Amino acid sequence: MKPRVLPDADARRRAATEFDRNFVVEAGAGTGKTSLLVERLLVAIGAGLARATEFAAITFTEKAAGEMRDRLALGLERLRCLALGREETDPTKAWGRALDHLVRERGVAPADVAERALAALSDLDRAKVTTIHSFCADLLRSYPFEAGVDPGFEVDRGPLYENLLDREWEEFLAEELGPRATRANLWRRLLPRIPLEAARALSRGLAAFAIPEALLDGTGPPADVAALFRDDAGRLAAALESVLARQRGMKSSGIGKLDLYRRALDTRVREGLPAFLALVNRPDEAEALRKSHPTSKKKLGDVEPGEMESAAKDALDLIRDLVSVDEEAFCDLVEASAPFARRARRMLLERGAVNFDGLLALARDLLRDRPEIREEARHRYRMLLVDEFQDTDPLQYEIVLFLGGRKGEREIDPFAVPLEPGRLFIVGDPKQSIYRFRGADYAAFRRAVERVLVQGGEKLDLVANFRSVEAVLGPVNDLFGASWTATPYQPPYEAIRAARREDAADPRVEILTVVAAGGADARREAEGIAVASRIRRLTDREGRRPGDVLLLLRAFTPLSFYLRPLREAGIPFVVDGGKLFLERTEVAQLMAALRALARPSDPAALLAFLRSPAGGVPDAELLAYGASGGPWRFSATPDATEFPGVARALGLLRALAEET
């Protein structure tokens, strides 16, 4: 069967085979961007444009990096087999298309393709297929003296730095406000305008490696308070969005306050201080912000009371801190807290650790301030491929632009760096950005993309979706195409088109409505039964397989309401990411047996095993055994006549321990 002609076939061909310019590929959901990245690497390796050690493929997560490395290894092996004539070519596969292009259009001899693929396979362990943080860590370890880090540093994932900040702040404050203080007048002027707790939060923000040294030294431009709180404000706004989404349809007096908190934080980060103050100083909003945060003693939708209260309290505290800080007072705070910020950074590095924030900032500074190192990195990595570009933050954009520059340039502004054609290949979709709370910013994304395009790069769009059929995608496009509004903070909507052949013209969008008395749990239970019934009809009457069905949930909290009906209906399923597996009775009982084996002196684990089906000891016998003073350890040998169940179960456990 001939492969279907894709609506974006030309864009895919160019992305995989052209190396004379930089590309920005906007790839919609399910458009096969990982396959495209692998195909481009196969062509580059097969054509001799780059060896496995001469490119860097940057992904957003370690899982994605592992998947790309595995798919590249498979692609290289299959490309080699095809070039040696051991397999039939398949134009639907990346390696089939790569070989066809290499031989037919570039005139590369199949034997050369096979030799280069084998060499790349041999060097694949040294290939740089990794996350941006791991890439930066390797860069810093390659130049530890120049970067000012311990060459054997470890990446601190949070606790060490947080504890260090707490301890250093207390010591710093004692020095600054103590009897030997030398800057007492500065603090006297500052503290009436900024509460001490707000000063603490702001000072911790100043200690972030992303804050330039020039700001702390007073030689750079003044800082925006919002920049220090971007991570916290974005994280809390995202948390509030999640809480509100999962409470939709519920009646609660606190929902209005939560939405106000979310809007206020979003406005402060995106639109700046004037817009933020205009919002929070409106009479109704100001009155609401003066009151305490909402609380709840009961579960609202999928949201536990503690989750809602925690997000609400943190958000209100942050908003009040931001309201209390004026720009003039903030300048005084920068002067007052700069020694603390510098000391905290220095202490972390002296401990032989670098946090995630520091990895990016130190790597950016190294590339910016040492052009010779920048040149060496470019010489080592002739090609830089970046996946999920929409979820990177402004610091990462700067690193990418520095690495993409021409030979010999010495710019210190990354957005002024002249780019080398063919060095950068960037893939992303701003519509899929979900990491705003970690610094992802559409405005910064757009600026970085525009820089690549201005420098002779080209934008390609992938719109062919391999996951769904047109009967599903059509309604999605109709819905979002009509309601989506492009703004400076949100990209335009690009319709996605089905690449899969349709089996039938029947509707593929249905709405199942259930009616159930009771609360949310009762409705979910009824919905789970309805979903299982619909899937059973699909498999029994319409010839579908269970694997044709994907069930998407907003959260894993209500998962049990949907899995139980599937089990009872005999429908096989796989849960990706759920945590209920460990809560299943048989798994809990197995864990009890394993704990009893691993911890012979743990009486609770032993008792759980004895009561489980594996132990099978009746409760009455266990009670009598305990009352007799019998020891709770599996080395015990009770009287088999008086306690037959206990004696048998302990003997079984000893046998398992010996076998283990």
Side-chain angles (χ1 to χ4, degrees):
M1 182 183 295
K2 294 180 63 176
R4 184 178 181 182
V5 177
L6 301 176
D8 53 9
D10 186 62
R12 291 176 184 274
R13 178 191 59 78
R14 297 187 61 207
T17 62
E18 294 185 12
F19 297 88
D20 61 347
R21 71 195 67 196
N22 295 317
F23 282 119
V24 175
V25 180
E26 289 203 4
T31 53
K33 55 188 175 58
T34 303
S35 294
L36 180 65
L37 285 163
V38 169
E39 185 176 346
R40 182 174 176 85
L41 288 173
L42 294 178
V43 173
I45 291 169
L49 300 177
R51 296 192 293 267
T53 56
E54 293 179 332
F55 67 82
I58 307 297
T59 66
F60 193 69
T61 65
E62 293 178 358
K63 180 180 179 182
E67 179 186 357
M68 185 181 293
R69 185 181 293 273
D70 289 344
R71 292 175 71 167
L72 180 57
L74 174 64
L76 288 168
E77 180 60 39
R78 302 300 290 273
L79 179 65
R80 177 172 173 269
C81 290
L82 284 177
L84 294 174
R86 297 175 182 173
E87 292 185 9
E88 291 287 331
T89 187
D90 184 350
T92 67
K93 302 297 185 183
W95 45 86
R97 294 189 296 271
L99 183 66
D100 180 68
H101 169 78
L102 289 166
V103 174
R104 187 165 55 84
E105 298 185 31
R106 289 183 176 263
V108 182
D112 291 339
V113 174
E115 182 180 348
R116 290 164 180 164
L118 179 60
L121 279 168
S122 300
D123 287 339
L124 196 57
D125 284 344
R126 296 191 293 135
K128 191 62 66 179
V129 182
T130 185
T131 65
I132 185 66
H133 290 97
S134 294
F135 180 87
C136 290
D138 289 343
L139 183 66
L140 297 177
R141 290 190 176 102
S142 298
Y143 304 97
F145 177 77
E146 295 85 349
V149 299
D150 184 323
F153 75 83
E154 295 187 1
V155 178
D156 170 46
R157 299 178 181 270
L160 175 62
Y161 191 51
E162 291 299 317
N163 293 337
L164 186 148
L165 285 176
D166 289 339
R167 186 173 63 255
E168 288 300 313
W169 174 253
E170 295 300 328
E171 293 181 7
F172 172 73
L173 210 58
E175 295 169 3
E176 292 289 299
L177 303 181
R180 298 183 180 179
T182 59
R183 302 191 300 163
N185 289 336
L186 173 61
W187 285 96
R188 288 193 188 99
R189 185 171 73 245
L190 175 67
L191 290 178
R193 292 179 293 165
I194 299 182
L196 191 57
E197 190 58 31
R200 174 181 178 275
L202 286 161
S203 298
R204 289 167 67 95
L206 284 169
F209 283 86
I211 301 300
E213 283 285 342
L215 170 67
L216 301 179
D217 293 339
T219 58
D224 175 14
V225 185
L228 295 180
F229 283 105
R230 178 176 285 114
D231 288 350
D232 287 341
R235 174 181 57 79
L236 288 171
L240 291 171
E241 285 175 4
S242 173
V243 168
L244 287 166
R246 288 179 285 140
Q247 287 186 2
R248 189 169 291 127
M250 303 296 294
K251 293 183 178 180
S252 169
S253 59
I255 289 179
K257 285 187 178 181
L258 294 179
D259 187 57
L260 170 60
Y261 301 164
R262 180 194 60 78
R263 288 187 289 115
L265 292 172
D266 206 47
T267 300
R268 185 63 183 94
V269 171
R270 291 182 177 276
E271 301 178 37
L273 179 65
F276 170 75
L277 292 177
L279 172 64
V280 300
N281 286 327
R282 294 172 188 165
D284 290 345
E285 281 76 0
E287 177 64 23
L289 292 172
R290 278 194 290 269
K291 296 178 180 178
S292 61
H293 61 80
T295 60
S296 177
K297 296 184 183 299
K298 63 179 182 179
K299 187 175 179 181
L300 296 172
D302 294 339
V303 183
E304 299 293 340
E307 179 187 2
M308 187 271 285
E309 287 190 34
S310 176
K313 180 183 183 303
D314 291 347
L316 182 58
D317 288 346
L318 181 56
I319 291 168
R320 288 173 174 171
D321 287 344
L322 288 169
V323 170
S324 69
V325 178
D326 60 66
E327 299 297 331
E328 183 181 350
F330 178 64
C331 290
D332 285 341
L333 178 69
V334 172
E335 180 183 352
S337 298
F340 160 74
R342 286 194 292 266
R343 190 162 78 181
R345 295 183 192 181
R346 186 177 66 252
M347 289 292 292
L348 182 66
L349 296 179
E350 288 175 355
R351 296 284 185 88
V354 180
N355 60 6
F356 285 118
D357 175 47
L359 289 174
L360 299 178
L362 292 172
R364 187 276 313 274
D365 293 350
L366 182 67
L367 295 172
R368 180 193 62 201
D369 302 336
R370 303 297 293 262
E372 72 281 6
I373 292 176
R374 197 155 76 206
E375 200 64 50
E376 289 178 16
R378 291 176 187 153
H379 180 72
R380 179 180 178 186
Y381 302 114
R382 298 169 59 182
M383 295 170 52
L384 184 65
L385 301 91
V386 186
D387 195 9
E388 304 291 4
F389 198 59
Q390 76 279 356
D391 285 326
T392 56
D393 63 30
L395 265 180
Q396 296 172 35
Y397 298 140
E398 294 182 20
I399 292 169
V400 170
L401 293 175
F402 276 130
L403 291 172
R406 292 179 182 270
K407 182 178 180 180
E409 64 79 27
R410 304 179 72 85
E411 288 285 350
I412 61 171
D413 178 0
F415 288 89
V417 171
L419 299 178
E420 178 74 23
R423 185 180 292 277
L424 295 180
F425 187 78
I426 293 167
V427 181
D429 181 8
K431 296 191 301 300
Q432 297 185 64
S433 180
I434 59 172
Y435 286 96
R436 183 162 55 86
F437 66 95
R438 288 174 60 168
D441 184 333
Y442 173 62
F445 168 86
R446 190 175 60 180
R447 185 186 179 205
V449 167
E450 287 174 353
R451 179 61 187 170
V452 176
L453 301 183
V454 165
Q455 285 285 296
E458 189 171 345
K459 178 174 170 289
L460 301 174
D461 292 310
L462 300 191
V463 297
N465 179 284
F466 297 96
R467 294 176 184 165
S468 299
V469 294
E470 188 58 37
V472 170
L473 296 179
V476 171
N477 288 327
D478 291 342
L479 174 64
F480 286 100
S483 61
W484 191 285
T485 302
T487 72
Y489 308 107
Q490 180 169 274
Y493 181 74
E494 185 77 34
I496 50 179
R497 300 172 61 184
R500 291 173 52 184
R501 288 182 172 84
E502 195 125 15
D503 296 333
D506 297 335
R508 286 294 177 265
V509 175
E510 304 174 8
I511 297 177
L512 302 180
T513 303
V514 299
V515 178
D521 287 353
R523 291 194 294 274
R524 289 195 190 92
E525 187 172 358
E527 189 176 80
I529 294 171
V531 169
S533 176
R534 183 69 185 98
I535 295 173
R536 177 52 74 193
R537 288 201 304 274
L538 286 171
T539 57
D540 291 351
R541 302 178 190 175
E542 301 181 31
R544 299 287 181 179
R545 300 169 303 168
D548 293 335
V549 180
L550 174 66
L551 185 60
L552 298 176
L553 303 173
R554 287 187 307 191
F556 284 119
T557 308
L559 193 60
S560 61
F561 294 102
Y562 299 89
L563 299 189
R564 189 182 304 113
L566 293 177
R567 277 197 296 268
E568 292 173 351
I571 300 170
F573 60 86
V574 174
V575 179
D576 185 3
K579 299 178 180 179
L580 293 176
F581 177 76
L582 294 177
E583 297 178 11
R584 293 179 63 169
T585 303
E586 61 271 28
V587 177
Q589 292 165 348
L590 174 61
M591 293 297 292
L594 294 175
R595 286 194 186 96
L597 285 170
R599 306 171 186 166
S601 61
D602 186 344
L606 178 61
L607 181 60
F609 168 76
L610 294 175
R611 296 190 70 232
S612 73
V617 183
D619 283 351
E621 184 177 334
L622 288 172
L623 178 62
Y625 177 70
S628 71
W632 296 106
R633 54 179 183 271
F634 67 63
S635 59
T637 54
D639 185 344
T641 303
E642 188 175 1
F643 304 111
V646 176
R648 175 190 49 77
L650 293 179
L652 172 61
L653 202 56
R654 285 194 296 274
L656 287 172
E658 184 176 346
E659 186 176 345
T660 302

